[in-house]
Amino acid sequence: MKGLNIILAILLVFAFGISCEDFTSYQPKGVVSEADLQGPESVEGLVNAAYAGMANDHWVAPFTNNWPWGSVRSDNSYKGGAGPADQSGYHNYEIFSTIRPDQSKADGVWFNIYRMIQRANEAMNAVKGIDEGSYPNKTERLAEMHFIRAHGHFLLKRMFKRVPYIHEDIPSDSLKFVSNVEYTSQELWDKIAEDFQFAVDNLPQTQEDVGRPNKPVAQAYLAKLRLYQAYEKDEQHQVTNINQDRLQEVVDLTNEVINSGQYSLFDDIAQNFLWEWENGEEILFSIQRSKDDGTPIGRIDMANALNWTMNPEFGCCWFHLPSFNLVNSFRTNADGIPMFDSFNDEVMVDSADFHENTFDPRLDHTVHVPKHIFKYQSDVIYDSSYTRAPQVYGPFSTMKEIQQLDCPCLAVPKGYAYPTSTKNNTIIRYADVLLWKAEALIQLGRQDEALPIINDIRERANNSRDRLRYENGDYVSNYNIEPYVDGVNINWTQENAMKALQWERRLEFAMEGVRFFDLVRWGIAAETLNNYFDVEKERVPILQTAQFTEGRDEYLPIPQQQIDFSEGTYEQNTGW
């Protein structure tokens, strides 16, 4: 990459086809003059371009599904592929010890997210310049652009910690001189929160168009931000305080979303990962995908394009693979709750292991296990032919982002010989909202209020078995999951409740790109990952040199390419 920089975003607004289903079908082409941007149709095109920018990622630098950043860097998954040399940059990130500030993949994420932010800023300026009489949606569209800008800055801050905050009033020739340390970490959270708050204050309660955020969605995202912000950290990234006022904001905001009555859990967790329900009642906000929409390859999910299995129907490339540690974490004891301390004492790998032991049903919604059914298809059995390098990474494959063999959502991008899909990328689902509230309540010392919330999630998991059967009706694994009952199968102290919450988040959102960020938020990344490496490297030798350095590896280094572009304005993160 040659000095990738955020200014290019302005020039590239019209370089990409625009389509995000329904309202984003507008496709601007070519070069436009200032006069061209003054009519309602052209302004709406800029708004749509900002939405399209949310989906403009790729496996070389994904951010709609954070599988390299939130899963591969955690104890949930390995990079996968043919071995460490295949997309080797991601292997550097999974073992931490060989990360360098000049690696291109993090630089690509930085660039592409700032390009999305700049599209939102350009659209914001265009919307501001048009009369509300000719553009009745003016205030609403401004709120949507504030939401998109906040989404981009949130992603960046979660990955890099100290990043420049780019707003619409910064002249293009000054962009590269905006400091990434102008604000303290807490102040930067507040700047991003201002954008979400603007969205909360100005978005409608509901939206007619699929894919646009509404008020409850903005409230949910603001709650997510405040939860991250509540864990106050020092310059060495260590948690020094858990802010009770921020936690209460999380409770209040999630209550607003819950009380809106607009969202609920799906009856079966599988519905979150199947194309047919991609905009259903559990999905608050997702990146809308499409194909055959007039753009060069469609608004298809290139972010996950490496992660499909090797069977003839797909053919490539077997990345993002569940770890032995993750598979073991689904084990349950005789009381139907997680084996918190002993889950990893034995390796679950042989077919008999999954019948001689008991498991949380979410195992088979997350992991393709040998001799189990493939993606809820009782007549298709997953076996070694679906794998690529099992001698390196073991026998398991990812499941959630993969679609069924006959899904109408499958797409083969032009110029490629393997599929991806038009399944939307979920950003927030209702289970998130419930568990954010539960986490805040526990940290406030109100763990008794969190207990029924966590049990609601577990009850849904228990009820999500119907798709997990062979053709003869037998379950593919031996399931045993029960609610937590204080004094019966757990002592529901604040400490134990927090452990249960952390476990619940791991199982519920495994392989959805969030695990690493949860560990960093809680301040337990170093302990968790180094304990993981100590055991896992004996099972997967490519992890022999893996080591998490506390006080450094919680965040990626500021890309050296961006420091050079800023002429030294940007300051490097601690430890790099």
Side-chain angles (χ1 to χ4, degrees):
M1 297 186 180
K2 297 182 179 180
L4 292 178
N5 61 74
I6 52 183
I7 291 179
L8 280 177
I10 302 170
L11 305 177
L12 293 174
V13 163
F14 290 101
F16 293 82
I18 307 305
S19 178
C20 288
E21 282 188 15
D22 295 337
F23 71 93
T24 52
S25 59
Y26 177 83
Q27 185 184 354
K29 298 178 180 179
V31 178
V32 296
S33 67
E34 184 177 350
D36 292 327
L37 301 179
Q38 294 178 354
E41 183 177 348
S42 295
V43 171
E44 192 74 355
L46 280 173
V47 168
N48 292 342
Y51 275 101
M54 299 176 76
N56 277 346
D57 64 342
H58 191 275
W59 73 69
V60 299
F63 59 84
T64 52
N65 180 319
N66 284 282
W67 65 269
W69 320 115
S71 285
V72 171
R73 288 196 298 163
S74 78
D75 48 357
N76 276 2
S77 76
Y78 320 125
K79 172 186 71 70
D86 190 0
Q87 294 291 322
S88 60
Y90 291 134
H91 179 64
N92 294 325
Y93 294 116
E94 82 176 319
I95 66 173
F96 292 95
S97 56
T98 54
I99 296 175
R100 303 187 317 274
D102 64 348
Q103 288 169 325
S104 65
K105 294 188 182 299
D107 178 51
V109 169
W110 177 288
F111 168 66
N112 283 323
I113 295 178
Y114 271 116
R115 183 169 63 185
M116 178 230 298
I117 289 170
Q118 194 61 21
R119 285 189 178 198
N121 285 334
E122 289 293 296
M124 199 178 296
N125 279 327
V127 172
K128 285 182 176 180
I130 195 168
D131 178 74
E132 194 159 9
S134 61
Y135 193 60
N137 293 324
K138 178 175 182 174
T139 300
E140 185 176 309
R141 295 293 184 263
L142 280 175
E144 293 170 19
M145 295 305 98
H146 277 275
F147 179 92
I148 291 175
R149 183 168 74 186
H151 168 62
H153 280 117
F154 178 90
L155 295 178
L156 287 162
K157 177 158 177 40
R158 191 172 62 167
M159 288 181 65
F160 297 100
K161 189 174 183 177
R162 303 295 290 276
V163 299
Y165 177 80
I166 304 299
H167 58 79
E168 77 277 20
D169 295 326
I170 300 174
S172 60
D173 59 0
S174 300
L175 286 172
K176 68 179 181 180
F177 301 117
V178 178
S179 171
N180 68 319
V181 294
E182 177 182 3
Y183 301 106
T184 67
S185 182
Q186 287 295 310
E187 288 170 344
L188 183 55
W189 280 128
D190 285 335
K191 289 298 295 182
I192 302 170
E194 288 175 10
D195 277 332
F196 280 131
Q197 188 62 57
F198 187 94
V200 169
D201 293 340
N202 293 282
L203 284 174
Q205 190 70 22
T206 61
Q207 289 272 27
E208 181 178 349
D209 292 326
V210 172
R212 297 190 193 274
N214 58 29
K215 181 173 183 173
V217 169
Q219 289 170 321
Y221 215 142
L222 181 56
K224 180 179 183 178
L225 181 150
R226 292 306 192 195
L227 185 60
Y228 274 79
Q229 186 180 17
Y231 294 85
E232 297 174 357
K233 296 180 173 66
D234 60 20
E235 290 303 309
Q236 286 69 47
H237 317 318
Q238 307 305 300
V239 176
T240 58
N241 181 53
I242 303 178
N243 189 302
Q244 304 292 289
D245 292 336
R246 294 302 185 202
L247 294 173
Q248 186 57 53
E249 286 185 69
V250 174
V251 174
D252 293 342
L253 286 163
T254 53
N255 278 339
E256 290 286 339
V257 178
I258 293 166
N259 293 337
S260 74
Q262 293 176 227
Y263 304 98
S264 60
L265 294 174
F266 284 131
D267 293 334
D268 188 331
I269 191 175
Q271 293 168 272
N272 284 288
F273 315 116
L274 290 168
W275 171 77
E276 299 94 319
W277 288 275
E278 61 183 3
N279 287 311
E281 61 265 27
E282 187 165 341
I283 309 302
L284 275 76
F285 189 71
S286 60
I287 305 301
Q288 302 291 306
R289 297 291 183 180
S290 61
K291 64 179 179 178
D292 301 327
D293 53 17
T295 61
I297 64 171
R299 191 60 53 195
I300 58 179
D301 181 13
M302 294 299 288
N304 284 312
L306 292 181
N307 300 348
W308 297 70
T309 50
M310 304 299 294
N311 52 303
E313 294 88 348
F314 298 150
C316 200
C317 288
W318 205 58
F319 281 72
H320 192 209
L321 307 178
S323 68
F324 287 109
N325 184 289
L326 175 64
V327 171
N328 294 341
S329 73
F330 288 96
R331 296 175 66 192
T332 58
N333 63 20
D335 293 324
I337 67 171
M339 299 172 63
F340 295 115
D341 300 318
S342 58
F343 76 100
N344 205 32
D345 289 352
E346 300 177 69
V347 179
M348 300 291 104
V349 63
D350 294 330
S351 181
D353 293 333
F354 297 93
H355 294 279
E356 294 171 359
N357 299 273
T358 58
F359 294 85
D360 186 309
R362 284 172 289 191
L363 166 70
D364 290 297
H365 294 278
T366 306
V367 181
H368 280 121
V369 175
K371 299 184 180 179
H372 290 195
I373 62 175
F374 182 81
K375 194 66 177 187
Y376 312 125
Q377 296 174 271
S378 61
D379 59 339
V380 181
I381 302 301
Y382 171 83
D383 61 31
S384 60
S385 68
Y386 286 61
T387 67
R388 187 177 183 186
Q391 73 281 6
V392 178
Y393 296 110
F396 306 114
S397 296
T398 187
M399 182 175 179
K400 287 181 175 178
E401 66 264 46
I402 305 305
Q403 295 303 302
Q404 294 180 334
L405 302 180
D406 60 352
C407 182
C409 65
L410 295 183
V412 178
K414 188 179 297 184
Y416 298 96
Y418 49 86
T420 180
S421 81
T422 62
K423 170 69 170 65
N424 294 345
N425 303 112
T426 300
I427 305 301
I428 300 174
R429 56 185 177 98
Y430 190 63
D432 273 309
V433 176
L434 295 177
L435 290 179
W436 293 335
K437 178 180 178 181
E439 181 177 337
L441 287 169
I442 291 168
Q443 295 288 29
L444 286 167
R446 297 159 56 186
Q447 59 270 15
D448 289 349
E449 297 176 56
L451 179 57
I453 299 173
I454 294 174
N455 279 340
D456 283 347
I457 300 291
R458 293 181 64 76
E459 181 181 5
R460 194 269 294 274
N462 191 32
N463 292 335
S464 299
R465 302 186 185 198
D466 287 349
R467 289 180 170 86
L468 308 180
R469 299 175 186 268
Y470 294 111
E471 285 190 293
N472 66 5
D474 292 343
Y475 290 118
V476 298
S477 296
N478 183 16
Y479 303 122
N480 181 28
I481 179 174
E482 296 293 339
Y484 292 108
V485 181
D486 186 22
V488 176
N489 57 14
I490 193 171
N491 292 321
W492 198 252
T493 63
Q494 185 180 27
E495 179 181 0
N496 287 343
M498 190 61 190
K499 180 184 289 188
L501 179 281
Q502 291 170 340
W503 214 272
E504 206 64 29
R505 280 198 60 82
R506 185 181 192 188
L507 302 187
E508 180 71 17
F509 299 106
M511 307 298 283
E512 295 182 47
V514 301
R515 172 67 171 170
F516 178 79
F517 302 115
D518 281 346
L519 295 175
V520 171
R521 180 172 79 250
W522 297 324
I524 61 173
E527 176 187 2
T528 301
L529 293 179
N530 285 328
N531 288 340
Y532 160 71
F533 291 140
D534 285 345
V535 176
E536 204 79 358
K537 67 185 179 183
E538 300 302 321
R539 301 166 177 167
V540 183
I542 61 166
L543 300 178
Q544 282 295 326
T545 61
Q547 178 69 36
F548 185 97
T549 300
E550 189 172 18
R552 185 194 72 173
D553 288 330
E554 288 85 355
Y555 298 92
L556 291 174
I558 305 302
Q560 187 61 47
Q561 298 91 327
Q562 300 301 325
I563 293 176
D564 294 344
F565 168 72
S566 75
E567 300 180 22
T569 298
Y570 299 160
E571 294 184 17
Q572 187 54 272
N573 279 333
T574 300
W576 297 101

